[in-house]
Amino acid sequence: MTKRLYRSDDRVIAGVCSGFAEYMDFDPVAVRLGYAALTLFTAFAGIPFYIVAWIVMPEKSKVI
């Protein structure tokens, strides 16, 4: 079975970070904290990335 990247049902805003965490087998809290830190240290460059990922990544509950 191939791994697919989906937005997770375990969501805080849109499930993007927890979807990445499930895909990479990481803790969702660690991914969220890493995303927040990178967003702050890159002059908020993570915000457009999150919005694009929100649009592009399908929801897990709608696909499966």
Side-chain angles (χ1 to χ4, degrees):
M1 182 175 164
T2 61
K3 286 178 106 175
R4 299 281 316 255
L5 183 61
Y6 299 110
R7 287 188 290 143
S8 177
D9 295 328
D10 174 28
R11 58 182 64 189
V12 173
I13 297 176
V16 172
C17 289
S18 57
F20 278 115
E22 286 178 9
Y23 182 77
M24 297 182 296
D25 294 325
F26 287 150
D27 181 33
V29 175
V31 174
R32 290 178 185 127
L33 289 173
Y35 168 76
L38 285 173
T39 297
L40 289 174
F41 292 123
T42 59
F44 300 99
I47 294 173
F49 168 77
Y50 193 93
I51 293 169
V52 169
W54 188 349
I55 293 168
V56 172
M57 290 172 62
E59 282 189 65
K60 187 176 191 178
S61 59
K62 290 185 179 179
V63 176
I64 296 176

